[in-house]
Amino acid sequence: MSKSDFYYSFPLKISSSRKKKNRTEAMDDKATVIDTVLFQGDSQKEYITPHKITIFTLIKTYGEMKLRVFKARDDNLLMQEGDSTVEERMRIVTNPRHRRTFFMLILKLLQDPDPSLAELNLVLLNKQHNLFQDFLPEFQLNMLKILSSGIEGLMNLVKKVSQLLVEPNAQNPIITRRSVLGHFIRRTSVIFEQSSCNGVVAIMKPNSKAVPVLSEDENEENRLELNSFKNVQEKSILWTRRQADLFLAQQSVLLQKNDCSISTKKLHNNIQQLLQANPDCAEAYFLAFLNFLRVRDFPAALHSLHNCFDRGGGLYFDPNSKQLCGNSNDEKARSFRYGALNLAMLYATFGHKKEALFALKECVMLARSAHCNFCLQHALSWFCKLIEQPGKEKLMECSISRSSEFNLGYLTSLAIQSLSQHVSDQTLAPDRIFEMLSQSEVLNCQHSLQDLTSNVFAQKASLWTIYGRPAMASLYAQLLLHSEAQDHNPEATCAAVCHLAMQFMAFGDQVSSAALLSFARERFTQLDIERIWMRCEQILGFIHFLNQGSWQLARVAAEQLSSTDKAESTLRMAELEFAQGDREKSLSRLETGLVSKELAPLIQICKMVTISRLLEECPFSYTNHLVKALGMASSHHLAPLRYRIILQIAEHQLRMGLVSQALLLVESVITLVLTHCSLLDQATFLFFKAKCKIYQCQQNRLENKDLSSILNLLSKARQNFEKVQAAAKVKEVLLCMLLVYHVHKLEADKFRTALELREFEEQLASRKTSHV
């Protein structure tokens, strides 16, 4: 279960901040205090800003151009005078493409915060908007007229734009009253009509830092209006509450999808600007909290979370009664329990289990007192994730049944996936696990849970990989990459890409594997996702360098792997030291580095297999570790590991002189190995089978068909080793072939193989020199 799935399962519960009352709490960096500024509700009040005047001028320019065209058409001027200019203007203005471009531009200007004049000019001159000819010169002319006319020009502007709602006729106006633009015009007109004379004067001086000096006889209302307008104008970028709500909604959706197109730094700057204009916006602090989680900044995330829920459940300023008021008890309790829940999630994300459990207990206590089953189920989901104790499966099953009882489809499906992932490390049969995942798929289909659908695909690909069926794993990875679900869960998508990269590498296609890893590196740049492809890249790099005998580069890859998977890194370092011949150091690393009881079964089995290799001189310890590893691999249905352990047992039998038993043991699994395992495993089994036949031929009389069979096995093993670039193994096969030719006095083949061996050693030496 991915962390991004948990983020999505916890919607922000700050109903108090969505009320139409004005609330503000000014926060210090270290403490929460209630600001005593007189106008704390001004952040939600709307003003006639210079940007809105500019939008009105744009609308007026477009409307007047269109009215002139309609008037010319109605007066039949085109037929009488044949004016090509009017005809061309009519063709351009009435073009649906230009009309759509203009209104999309206006919509963008309405939704975005108020830009500066230079930024607005860049937007208007952008070729992407492609405004029609003669529009910008006429727009600039209208702006100059308004500035030169003063207040009269401003009043005429509002009047003429309002007339576009009824011209040329009420049945077919230039702008429909019920459209987005119609609502904006009517609302702005009402605000302008309600403005006092001093407010209109202040509008005409937006770039002046000086505020008009009020005379003593001016009433208090006008004085307060001018002061509040000054506070708004002094901000670098203006965000209305509607613009802020739209921005927060859009960015929240992108963060839920973990979209890499969001720049963390740019989003942080936008949030800071938004909070300057709307300091009481609790949702903005929660968005900042999610943004800091992306870059793993714990102190900033914690501070943002405290700010969010302090504002969501604290006091607010009521402009009607001119005093501070408190939220209702229900709203406070809701804010506190969801604050504790999100705090627990934050601690769990950074690995602080003790603090997370403490916050969860507080959340459960508050949720029980309020009888909030929704919050309780979320807390139970996190509790199942955090605890590690016997009987965890029963608690997870209880979470599934309770979530289903309360019709919480998302939590039910997520809990089923968590349970299937947990029992996959146990001895449960694979058919039972896939049956559980099919239940999750049904819920995902019923509730259109696209992100969890992609989770199921990625989970099935992982399960089929460890169960030794790479074809099925590749199938589910490609199903995910060809479905629309990949857009809703980039973490699962990245895992699917890495599955395919490892499959290509396992079957000798290094070019395709490198291309997929390069795609993942460019596409998934988020900190919480890049660990997936980084781990895959380091493991594949280690295997590649180890096969080629590049010890130094293999060590670098194994050390870098510790940043994403410490247990895997320790195991790979021990494997490298064993390949270099340092058995004591390898054994010491395994015994001291992998002692945790919480190790995955896969790591435990690999540890026992490696230790058994290191203890080959001690037969009792050697066989003891191998038998335990074989039993554990069989009970956990880890087929690839079971095949390798069987091969190791067969190698031990061959060293003891039990050639027939070793050959019989290998023959029992070689068909499955050649069908489902990687090229390296296939080549290893073929090479071992050839060696068994060579020993048999020493005991019995060699026939031509036996020699042909041995050479055929060695040739296939050599081809597979070359595909995966296992240099040491290729050299070993060539030496074995050379020995066979020498024993049976095949001189021509012997000299040919010797020449191939010499050329291969020269190539290998040149590659190592280039690595150094």
Side-chain angles (χ1 to χ4, degrees):
M1 192 179 331
S2 63
K3 293 190 289 292
S4 59
D5 299 329
F6 285 114
Y7 301 161
Y8 187 82
S9 65
F10 297 134
L12 177 61
K13 291 290 182 180
I14 314 178
S15 59
S16 59
S17 64
R18 297 189 180 275
K19 288 191 173 184
K20 293 184 179 179
K21 297 181 179 179
N22 299 322
R23 322 179 170 180
T24 299
E25 292 180 40
M27 283 204 61
D28 200 347
D29 289 337
K30 298 181 179 179
T32 304
V33 294
I34 302 299
D35 197 353
T36 57
V37 177
L38 182 59
F39 285 92
Q40 296 189 9
D42 287 340
S43 61
Q44 295 186 22
K45 186 174 180 179
E46 292 194 29
Y47 300 94
I48 304 295
T49 62
H51 180 61
K52 291 184 179 179
I53 297 175
T54 305
I55 295 178
F56 259 54
T57 310
L58 286 169
I59 299 171
K60 174 180 177 292
T61 305
Y62 173 79
E64 288 182 345
M65 293 179 69
K66 202 167 183 180
L67 281 174
R68 286 199 298 268
V69 169
F70 288 160
K71 184 177 180 181
R73 184 183 60 184
D74 295 341
D75 295 343
N76 205 14
L77 292 178
L78 297 180
M79 297 297 295
Q80 294 177 3
E81 302 178 3
D83 190 348
S84 59
T85 304
V86 178
E87 183 178 358
E88 178 67 16
R89 178 171 291 185
M90 178 178 180
R91 185 182 65 80
I92 293 176
V93 174
T94 58
N95 189 334
R97 182 172 62 87
H98 287 294
R99 185 168 64 249
R100 180 182 180 277
T101 301
F102 174 76
F103 283 111
M104 291 302 294
L105 171 62
I106 295 296
L107 183 61
K108 173 181 173 56
L109 294 176
L110 287 175
Q111 292 177 348
D112 292 347
D114 294 4
S116 63
L117 184 58
E119 293 173 343
L120 179 62
N121 287 332
L122 290 177
V123 171
L124 296 178
L125 294 174
N126 193 342
K127 294 182 178 180
Q128 177 183 359
H129 301 296
N130 194 19
L131 293 173
F132 42 84
Q133 191 177 5
D134 298 335
F135 180 83
L136 288 180
E138 192 161 346
F139 162 70
Q140 293 173 355
L141 182 61
N142 286 332
M143 286 293 293
L144 290 174
K145 289 181 179 179
I146 294 172
L147 292 175
S148 61
S149 302
I151 297 178
E152 182 181 0
L154 181 60
M155 298 178 67
N156 290 334
L157 173 66
V158 176
K159 180 179 179 181
K160 289 183 178 180
V161 173
S162 300
Q163 288 176 352
L164 295 177
L165 300 176
V166 294
E167 290 184 356
N169 55 72
Q171 288 73 26
N172 189 22
I174 299 294
I175 299 173
T176 308
R177 295 176 60 86
R178 295 184 179 180
S179 64
V180 176
L181 212 54
H183 280 288
F184 168 71
I185 293 172
R186 289 186 290 150
R187 183 176 185 84
T188 307
S189 300
V190 171
I191 296 173
F192 183 80
E193 293 294 334
Q194 293 178 349
S195 300
S196 64
C197 180
N198 293 311
V200 176
V201 171
I203 292 171
M204 293 305 300
K205 299 180 180 180
N207 296 324
S208 176
K209 295 183 179 179
V211 178
V213 180
L214 297 176
S215 60
E216 296 181 357
D217 58 346
E218 289 179 312
N219 56 47
E220 184 67 16
E221 181 180 357
N222 291 339
R223 181 188 298 274
L224 296 178
E225 183 176 358
L226 281 175
N227 289 336
S228 59
F229 184 79
K230 174 188 174 183
N231 294 333
V232 175
Q233 290 296 327
E234 286 178 348
K235 303 184 187 304
S236 58
I237 293 184
L238 299 177
W239 290 77
T240 65
R241 190 52 191 256
R242 286 177 174 79
Q243 289 173 340
D245 289 341
L246 177 63
F247 173 79
L248 293 173
Q250 291 173 342
Q251 297 302 315
S252 298
V253 171
L254 292 176
L255 281 178
Q256 287 173 10
K257 295 181 180 180
N258 217 334
D259 196 332
C260 61
S261 63
I262 308 177
S263 171
T264 304
K265 184 176 181 180
K266 183 178 180 181
L267 179 58
H268 174 70
N269 293 335
N270 288 336
I271 292 174
Q272 293 302 314
Q273 294 168 358
L274 188 153
L275 288 173
Q276 287 180 7
N278 299 275
D280 61 338
C281 186
E283 293 90 337
Y285 283 105
F286 193 81
L287 184 64
F289 159 69
L290 295 179
N291 191 40
F292 285 126
L293 279 182
R294 298 170 68 207
V295 295
R296 315 288 293 180
D297 190 342
F298 177 78
L302 184 62
H303 180 71
S304 298
L305 188 63
H306 287 164
N307 274 269
C308 169
F309 288 97
D310 284 342
R311 281 162 171 74
L315 302 176
Y316 67 95
F317 179 79
D318 188 353
N320 296 323
S321 60
K322 305 293 183 181
Q323 60 184 355
L324 294 173
C325 300
N327 293 334
S328 65
N329 293 330
D330 292 341
E331 292 174 350
K332 286 183 181 179
R334 179 163 49 248
S335 179
F336 290 151
R337 62 175 175 266
Y338 279 99
L341 182 61
N342 282 271
L343 184 62
M345 183 266 292
L346 175 62
Y347 282 126
T349 302
F350 286 89
H352 305 308
K353 289 188 176 181
K354 185 176 180 181
E355 291 81 1
L357 289 172
F358 183 81
L360 273 182
K361 290 179 181 179
E362 182 179 0
C363 172
V364 170
M365 178 185 66
L366 294 172
R368 282 180 175 175
S369 61
H371 304 287
C372 182
N373 295 318
F374 186 79
C375 186
L376 279 173
Q377 287 308 115
H378 282 86
L380 181 58
S381 299
W382 275 104
F383 190 72
C384 293
K385 179 177 174 61
L386 292 172
I387 63 168
E388 295 291 340
Q389 61 185 26
K392 182 177 179 178
E393 296 85 357
K394 293 184 179 180
L395 189 62
M396 299 179 79
E397 291 173 358
C398 176
S399 174
I400 294 172
S401 60
R402 293 285 291 177
S403 298
S404 178
E405 180 182 348
F406 294 119
N407 295 323
L408 302 176
Y410 189 96
L411 274 184
T412 307
S413 178
L414 189 62
I416 292 174
Q417 293 181 19
S418 301
L419 179 60
S420 63
Q421 182 178 355
H422 176 72
V423 297
S424 65
D425 291 337
Q426 311 299 325
T427 58
L428 191 66
D431 57 338
R432 295 284 305 279
I433 296 177
F434 286 110
E435 184 180 354
M436 293 169 59
L437 288 176
S438 65
Q439 297 174 5
S440 175
E441 287 183 305
V442 171
L443 288 171
N444 297 339
C445 183
Q446 289 176 346
H447 299 279
S448 300
L449 304 175
Q450 294 291 334
D451 55 335
L452 294 187
T453 300
S454 58
N455 256 12
V456 171
F457 284 144
Q459 206 164 355
K460 285 187 175 181
S462 300
L463 289 173
W464 281 121
T465 299
I466 64 175
Y467 291 149
R469 293 298 183 269
M472 293 298 296
S474 176
L475 173 64
Y476 278 103
Q478 293 185 56
L479 282 174
L480 171 56
L481 295 178
H482 284 83
S483 67
E484 296 179 356
Q486 63 167 314
D487 298 329
H488 296 80
N489 194 338
E491 190 169 359
T493 306
C494 182
V497 172
C498 292
H499 275 303
L500 292 178
M502 298 191 78
Q503 291 295 329
F504 280 121
M505 188 72 174
F507 289 94
D509 193 351
Q510 287 85 2
V511 176
S512 299
S513 177
L516 284 173
L517 285 176
S518 178
F519 167 77
R521 191 183 304 110
E522 294 175 1
R523 170 79 180 276
F524 307 104
T525 57
Q526 306 92 316
L527 285 178
D528 54 342
I529 297 181
E530 67 178 2
R531 59 181 177 80
I532 300 175
W533 60 260
M534 286 177 61
R535 178 180 182 274
C536 176
E537 185 178 46
Q538 290 149 3
I539 289 177
L540 293 182
F542 173 82
I543 295 173
H544 174 71
F545 294 130
L546 186 67
N547 289 338
Q548 287 195 337
S550 303
W551 311 129
Q552 188 174 2
L553 295 176
R555 179 176 295 276
V556 172
E559 290 174 350
Q560 290 177 348
L561 184 59
S562 62
S563 62
T564 55
D565 193 334
K566 292 184 179 180
E568 186 77 22
S569 175
T570 303
L571 194 62
R572 298 293 179 177
M573 287 292 294
E575 186 179 354
L576 174 62
E577 290 162 353
F578 171 72
Q580 291 177 308
D582 195 345
R583 292 173 176 262
E584 293 183 0
K585 190 174 181 180
S586 177
L587 182 61
S588 174
R589 183 180 295 274
L590 288 173
E591 291 178 346
T592 58
L594 299 175
V595 295
S596 175
K597 297 181 180 179
E598 298 179 2
L599 289 175
L602 191 67
I603 299 295
Q604 294 180 19
I605 296 171
C606 291
K607 174 186 174 181
M608 287 188 288
V609 170
T610 307
I611 290 177
S612 66
R613 287 184 178 180
L614 298 171
L615 298 176
E616 288 177 348
E617 298 178 357
C618 304
F620 178 76
S621 301
Y622 175 81
T623 55
N624 186 28
H625 281 88
L626 273 185
V627 170
K628 284 183 179 180
L630 181 61
M632 195 171 180
S634 300
S635 62
H636 286 82
H637 312 283
L638 304 177
L641 277 178
R642 188 171 67 87
Y643 300 152
R644 294 170 193 166
I645 296 171
I646 289 174
L647 177 62
Q648 193 169 341
I649 293 174
E651 289 175 346
H652 185 60
Q653 291 176 337
L654 183 62
R655 286 192 297 270
M656 295 174 63
L658 304 175
V659 182
S660 300
Q661 289 85 341
L663 186 59
L664 184 63
L665 187 60
V666 169
E667 289 283 2
S668 65
V669 296
I670 195 169
T671 303
L672 294 173
V673 171
L674 296 177
T675 305
H676 301 295
C677 289
S678 65
L679 287 181
L680 184 62
D681 289 338
Q682 294 178 29
T684 305
F685 269 81
L686 291 172
F687 186 36
F688 180 78
K689 184 178 179 181
K691 289 193 288 186
C692 289
K693 286 186 173 292
I694 291 173
Y695 278 102
Q696 274 189 335
C697 292
Q698 290 178 352
Q699 299 173 359
N700 305 321
R701 184 178 178 181
L702 181 65
E703 299 181 0
N704 290 333
K705 63 177 182 180
D706 295 329
L707 179 60
S708 176
S709 174
I710 291 172
L711 293 176
N712 188 28
L713 288 172
L714 290 174
S715 178
K716 289 182 179 178
R718 176 188 173 184
Q719 291 176 3
N720 289 344
F721 281 134
E722 286 178 344
K723 285 183 180 179
V724 297
Q725 300 181 2
K729 292 293 184 181
V730 173
K731 183 178 178 180
E732 191 176 348
V733 172
L734 287 174
L735 287 171
C736 187
M737 293 175 69
L738 189 62
L739 180 62
V740 171
Y741 290 139
H742 175 73
V743 169
H744 299 289
K745 300 180 180 180
L746 301 173
E747 298 297 329
D749 294 328
K750 183 178 73 171
F751 288 126
R752 176 177 53 81
T753 305
L755 181 60
E756 291 178 358
L757 179 59
R758 180 179 177 182
E759 292 177 350
F760 179 76
E761 287 180 338
E762 290 177 353
Q763 293 176 3
L764 184 61
S766 65
R767 283 203 300 266
K768 288 185 177 180
T769 302
S770 65
H771 285 318
V772 174

